[in-house]
Amino acid sequence: MALGDFMASRFSQSSVLVVPNHHHHHHDDSATSTTLDDADFGPRRDSEPAVASSSSGSAAAAYPNAATSLAYLPQTVVLCELRHDAFEAAVPVGPSDSGLVSKWRPKDRMKTGCVALVLCLNISVDPPDVIKISPCARMECWIDPFSMAPQKALESIGKSLSCQYERWQPKARYKCQLDPTVDEVKKLCTTCRRYAKTERVLFHYNGHGVPKPTVNGEIWVFNKSYTQYIPLPISDLDSWLKTPSIYVFDCSAAGLIVNSFIELHEWSASNTAGATRDCILLAACEAHETLPQSVEFPADVFTSCLTTPIKMALRWFCTRSLLRQSLDYSLIDKIPGRPNDRKTLLGELNWIFTAVTDTIAWNVLPHELFQRLFRQDLLVASLFRNFLLAERIMRSANCTPVSHPMLPPTHQHHMWDAWDMAAELCLSQLPSLVEDPNAEFQPSTFFTEQLTAFEVWLDHGSEHKKPPEQLPIVLQVLLSQCHRFRALVLLGRFLDMGPWAVDLALSVGIFPYVLKLLQTTTPELRQILVFIWTKILALDKSCQVDLVKDGGHIYFIKFLDSMEAYPEQRAMAAFVLAVIVDGHRRGQEACIEAGLIQVCLKHLQSSSLNDSQTEPLFLQWLCLCLGKLWEDYTEAQAIGLHEDATSIYAPLLSEPQPEVRASAVFALGTLLDVGFDSCRSVGGDEECDDDDKFRAEVSIVKSLLSVASDGSPLVRAEVAVALARFAFGHNKYLKSIAAAYWKPQTSSLINSLPSLTNIKDSVGGFSNQNQHKPHGNIVSPQIGPLRVGSENSKVVRDGRISSSSPLASSGIMHGSPMSDDSSHHSDSGILNDGFSNGVVNHTGPKPLDNALYSQCVLAMCTLAKDPSPRIANLGRRVLSIIGIEQVVAKPLKSTGVRPSEATATPSLAGLVRSSSWFDMNGGHLPLTFRTPPVSPPRPSYITGMRRVCSLEFRPHLMTSPDSGLADPLLGSAGAAGSSDRSFLPQSTIYNWSCGHFSKPLLTAADDSEEVLARREEREKYALEHIAKCQHSAVTRLTNPIAKWDTKGTQTVLLQPFSPIVIAADENERIRVWNHEEASLLNSFDNNDFPDKGISKLCLVNELDDSLLLAASSDGNIRIWKDYTLKGKQKLVSAFSSIHGHKPGVRSLNAVVDWQQQCGYLYASGEISSIMLWDLDKEQLLNAIPSASDCSVSALAASQVHGGQFAAGFVDGFVRLYDVRTPEMLVCGLQPHTQGVEKVVGIGFQPGLDPGKIVSASQAGDIQFLDIRNHSSAYLTISAHRGSLTALAVHRHAPIIASGSAKQLIKVFNLEGDQLGTIRYYPTLMAQKIGSVSCLNFHPYQVLLAAGAADACVCIYADDSTQAR
């Protein structure tokens, strides 16, 4: 079964409900599963579907209108993808090549090159210190020494021992000394070391014919005439053999030698501070023990275990087996097959034995020791595996083999039971197989059973439980074709559990196996191998080298190109290739030779041609892979341009997924040659014609500008990084354009700069937001204690200077003739005209046309004022590259209190020469230009350019916690000579996207149950309360139940499922209270540089984990999560919702509304269209023409019918729109006829009727409209005589409320009857309420929150509700 089916079957066990809804082709690459299209396990998939099962059932039972009630419970959930988790805070790291990683790599493979065998048997003469029993163990190397002449026996035993060792290490050189003298041993050792060079030497000593070793650490050999035993000190042996070495001592009391060696090494280590010696010892028994003499063992039982383990194990087991009566021992020597052919009985036994001993070692030893003994050297590994058997067998004869390094006891490990079972099954087949050589051999079930055990562990294990014992067996199973697929699938499931699992698998030694498997051509292994490599590379990037060395990249390119695999799996292949080429020149070259660029571009192209929903993860990784392939690699960039990459990428910039757009921007950005390659050969640039390159750069820059104001911070961050690369290459042209903006010049400047009105056409919808902020043009969000308002008075209010005529409206921004105060611009920047020196060490690219440069400068300025702090920081770094450096006055924030005049004045004095100058310039900060003096030997721009600022205080360092980087301009002076490109901001999309693959891809998130349960509970609550609201007879709504004093509330919001009220004031400070406990839960600033306050607060995903959407008056949207936890609020996303405003507009007065049904945000203001944003795609879907010259002053989205909204205009018109219709505008009415006053509030009437609207104008009249009757309103209430300031319509109950500047609130029902008036606060003095600034109903209860401009926020309930 293919991996896809395997995963499918996994999913079938976890019940995931999926309700088809308009949102279903879900495109969230951060949470998609590895296979099935609907197994999309973000919080969203699981939270949407519940409705089908739960609410429709319970709702249908409880309410007759269950079908309609579903209309009240939107199923859409937005902004809860991976990318929203920590964009502002985290700087992601991709696969690493250090740390936890690479510890798994065997330090350096070693091999044993030479084997010295020393046999001191002296056959027929027993040593004096041994008393032999009778009958006694006699066999040496399975030969009876007394069955032939002693000399002949000695030689055949020597030869036999050589053969037994050769089976384990055929390539080594074997030298044997039989009954030698000290000199012969010395000669043997020195020749072995000379021959082996730095490889390991094995020294095998059999001392069965000499006395036991001495306590002083000597072993015995002979004199020439065999009349004496001569002692040979261990220290001599050690000095001849040197290191690395391994010793095998098969004699009684062998532990004495081990002790002497350890002492020797400790002593030499303390004397010389040299390297520790790599010396491994294996000894047959402890210092006080003698070798077993029982006839059931050979005399050299230790050697037999180490060199012929299968034979030894079976012989020993025979006497303990149930088959012992029926079995003939001699058959053991006749086991058919070859040890290394796994399809024969002997081969299979050998294979099982290896798996069992490996598993015991892996489970018992510390990892470092396991690596050293079982993975570094083949011969050492074999000897140690067999040593585990020796321990088991010899302990049964009261003998304990010893090793150095010491191993924990393993003779009772339960894996030996599995071995005994396999051995028994084999023995039971043996007689029939020996009789009939053609008989069918039944393979053992050992491996199948062990894989099942592993599978059971996978179902129940986790990181915090004991790791699975069977891992080494899974490794062994990969060797055989019959179990390979199952083993790989289980291995894939294991690796998916997390980086710890990948690390464990690598330390077991899986790497060479899966590398080798890339040479197989079996089609069913392809998907799972790609998955396994994805998991490995997500942890450890250093494997890129091995893959390229073995030609593994070809395997992945073929897979990427194959159409039959799932796109998610091809995305994994693209990820693997991206890691292979990431910063690895050899990998880049290899992949280009294999045609990777063409393959990727082909698939990107085909995806844009057939509009069927292509898997976004696949597109994302195709882009990232190409971006990494040509990053800083001119040849690859040339091929990319030649293959027309720029036009293939253009359509990807409007893909619905922010991740895809960001990746496409990244690839376009890396395609821009930074123009700074000192190593470039002289003629090397001829491949790509200059004109082509020029055209390509123009189209890349235009593409980048088209997404410079994208809704997703992820995308804008990449645009900023790409523009920085562009700015780096075109530095001097951009500098001169930028300088021209802030230089005193006559009106002729306007002719040299393109009129900004055509920008929109040239760059597909890019419009520069920075024209319309009252702060004016560039970096003013840094102003801090200054405030530029639009009141025409120079009052210092709250320590801010308020003044008129922002620079934004001056001509240069609009291409209209320049306003008179242009002469004052000279003061606003400290200019230095030394632009010519730019970049000195390369000729520089050809200049593009000025129009494009000025658009770039504008886009950079816009980015520097981005609502997302991280992007604003990037934008400022880009500006610093083209020489615009802001003087930063940090926003002065004392605890909640704004700075008073006293603190503001000194810094203002520094900023401003005279207030009249400040006045005329709209409060603009001086912008300083920095260019290096031409004197230093290597005048790269920013190094050495600290020109002293002529202002009185030094600019602060532009450090910003969100990027962890000080401003490069100020920080790079030290690292001057190192690298000129080091301060280019780095892209994060690649590292960030890699994180997806180190998360579990095959399993659902654990918390989905809770999420579903909470969602069900909330839906039930909502439905009950909606029913109550619909049938409630509200008598009066004037009973105040809670109140707080807070100044200047502008907008207020009640949370649906908890007693929480959220209010925002004109300084954009958001406060969150619990109104039952009357406690402040949290308060934070929406924006460090507030402008005119917050025009709207909305809850996004109110039925799930709600997010707080705060829309500032300048059209900037910021969305917060965890906003009720003190100090824990996090910015989820931020963007500017309004682009392209009318000329001459001072401030935007943005109006915004949010529609959960379809995930749309509508925004308008002093612009001629209504912007429609899809928050799920974080994309501007449409700018709907408002069909009016006047601007929109009120906006309401239907909470029941997705895509419908109503807008009220400054001239009293009301228009209803439906974005699902082709012409968008449904109808327009002019209900407010008494005097042309602007519409202040508008709302859809409660219920499911899409055409009933309530509209209130400033004149004080409230009109009830039904769009089926175009002529006039069907009901008019004159609520207030003029000065109506706020309107609220309850979502479900038949009540509306209106507020007036004349200090009163009136409540009406839908028939127009007044239900109550609120004039006074609930205080003893009954003071009057202030001018009403905002009203808001609770969505599911009859509660009204009201905010007054001067004093406080109050919550009113129906009279029946008791005041708390």
Side-chain angles (χ1 to χ4, degrees), residues 857-880:
V857 173
L858 284 171
M860 291 168 188
C861 302
T862 308
L863 287 166
K865 294 189 311 197
D866 198 273
S868 152
R870 181 159 169 191
I871 291 164
N873 192 51
L874 282 169
R876 295 197 294 273
R877 292 177 66 180
V878 179
L879 283 179
S880 66

Coordinates of all heavy atoms in Angstrom, one line a residue, residues 857-880:
V857 N 11.2 54.5 -3.8 CA 11.5 55.2 -2.6 C 10.2 55.4 -1.8 O 10.1 55.2 -0.6 CB 12.0 56.6 -3.0 CG1 12.1 57.5 -1.7 CG2 13.4 56.5 -3.6
L858 N 9.1 55.6 -2.6 CA 7.8 55.8 -1.9 C 7.4 54.5 -1.2 O 6.9 54.4 0.0 CB 6.7 56.1 -2.8 CG 6.7 57.6 -3.3 CD1 5.7 57.9 -4.4 CD2 6.4 58.5 -2.0
A859 N 7.6 53.3 -1.9 CA 7.3 52.0 -1.3 C 8.1 51.8 0.0 O 7.6 51.3 1.0 CB 7.5 50.9 -2.3
M860 N 9.4 52.2 -0.1 CA 10.3 52.0 1.1 C 9.8 52.9 2.3 O 9.8 52.4 3.4 CB 11.7 52.4 0.7 CG 12.4 51.4 -0.3 SD 13.9 52.2 -0.9 CE 14.3 51.0 -2.2
C861 N 9.3 54.1 1.9 CA 8.8 54.9 3.0 C 7.6 54.3 3.6 O 7.4 54.4 4.8 CB 8.5 56.3 2.5 SG 9.9 57.1 1.7
T862 N 6.7 53.8 2.8 CA 5.5 53.2 3.3 C 5.9 52.1 4.2 O 5.3 51.9 5.3 CB 4.7 52.7 2.1 OG1 4.5 53.7 1.2 CG2 3.3 52.2 2.6
L863 N 6.8 51.2 3.8 CA 7.2 50.1 4.6 C 7.8 50.6 6.0 O 7.6 50.0 7.0 CB 8.2 49.2 3.9 CG 7.6 48.4 2.8 CD1 8.7 47.8 1.9 CD2 6.8 47.3 3.3
A864 N 8.5 51.7 5.9 CA 9.1 52.2 7.2 C 8.0 52.6 8.2 O 8.3 52.8 9.3 CB 10.0 53.3 6.9
K865 N 6.8 52.9 7.7 CA 5.7 53.3 8.6 C 4.7 52.2 8.7 O 3.5 52.5 9.0 CB 5.0 54.5 8.0 CG 6.0 55.7 8.0 CD 5.2 57.0 7.7 CE 4.3 56.7 6.4 NZ 3.9 58.0 5.9
D866 N 5.1 51.0 8.5 CA 4.1 49.9 8.5 C 3.5 49.7 9.9 O 4.2 49.9 10.9 CB 4.9 48.6 8.1 CG 3.9 47.5 7.7 OD1 3.4 46.7 8.5 OD2 3.7 47.4 6.5
P867 N 2.2 49.3 10.0 CA 1.7 49.1 11.3 C 2.3 47.9 12.0 O 2.2 47.8 13.2 CB 0.2 48.8 11.0 CG 0.1 48.5 9.6 CD 1.2 49.2 8.9
S868 N 3.0 47.0 11.3 CA 3.7 45.9 12.0 C 5.1 46.3 12.4 O 5.9 46.7 11.6 CB 3.8 44.7 11.1 OG 4.9 43.9 11.5
P869 N 5.4 46.3 13.7 CA 6.7 46.9 14.2 C 7.9 46.2 13.5 O 8.8 46.8 13.1 CB 6.7 46.6 15.7 CG 5.3 46.3 16.1 CD 4.6 45.8 14.8
R870 N 7.7 44.9 13.2 CA 8.9 44.2 12.6 C 9.1 44.7 11.2 O 10.3 44.9 10.8 CB 8.6 42.7 12.6 CG 9.7 41.9 12.1 CD 9.5 40.5 12.6 NE 10.4 39.6 11.8 CZ 10.3 38.3 11.9 NH1 9.4 37.7 12.7 NH2 11.2 37.5 11.2
I871 N 8.1 45.0 10.5 CA 8.3 45.4 9.1 C 8.7 46.9 9.1 O 9.5 47.2 8.3 CB 7.0 45.2 8.3 CG1 6.8 43.7 8.1 CG2 7.0 45.8 6.9 CD1 5.5 43.2 7.7
A872 N 8.2 47.7 10.0 CA 8.6 49.1 10.0 C 10.1 49.1 10.3 O 10.8 49.9 9.7 CB 7.9 49.8 11.2
N873 N 10.6 48.2 11.1 CA 12.0 48.1 11.4 C 12.8 47.7 10.1 O 13.8 48.4 9.8 CB 12.2 47.1 12.5 CG 13.6 47.2 13.0 OD1 14.1 48.2 13.4 ND2 14.3 46.0 13.1
L874 N 12.3 46.7 9.4 CA 12.9 46.4 8.1 C 12.9 47.5 7.2 O 13.9 47.8 6.5 CB 12.1 45.2 7.5 CG 12.4 43.8 8.1 CD1 11.4 42.8 7.5 CD2 13.8 43.3 7.7
G875 N 11.7 48.2 7.1 CA 11.6 49.4 6.2 C 12.6 50.4 6.5 O 13.2 51.0 5.6
R876 N 12.9 50.7 7.8 CA 13.8 51.7 8.2 C 15.2 51.3 7.8 O 16.1 52.1 7.4 CB 13.8 52.0 9.7 CG 12.4 52.6 10.1 CD 12.5 53.2 11.4 NE 12.7 52.3 12.5 CZ 11.7 51.6 13.1 NH1 10.5 51.8 12.8 NH2 12.0 50.8 14.1
R877 N 15.5 50.0 7.8 CA 16.8 49.5 7.4 C 17.0 49.7 5.9 O 18.1 50.0 5.4 CB 17.0 48.0 7.8 CG 17.0 47.8 9.3 CD 17.1 46.4 9.6 NE 18.4 45.8 9.2 CZ 18.7 44.5 9.4 NH1 17.9 43.7 10.0 NH2 19.8 44.0 9.0
V878 N 15.9 49.5 5.2 CA 16.0 49.7 3.7 C 16.3 51.1 3.4 O 17.1 51.5 2.6 CB 14.7 49.2 3.0 CG1 14.8 49.5 1.5 CG2 14.4 47.8 3.3
L879 N 15.6 52.0 4.1 CA 15.8 53.5 3.9 C 17.2 53.8 4.2 O 17.8 54.7 3.5 CB 14.9 54.3 4.8 CG 13.4 54.4 4.3 CD1 12.6 55.2 5.3 CD2 13.3 55.0 2.9
S880 N 17.8 53.2 5.3 CA 19.1 53.6 5.6 C 20.1 53.2 4.5 O 21.2 53.8 4.4 CB 19.5 52.9 6.9 OG 19.6 51.5 6.8

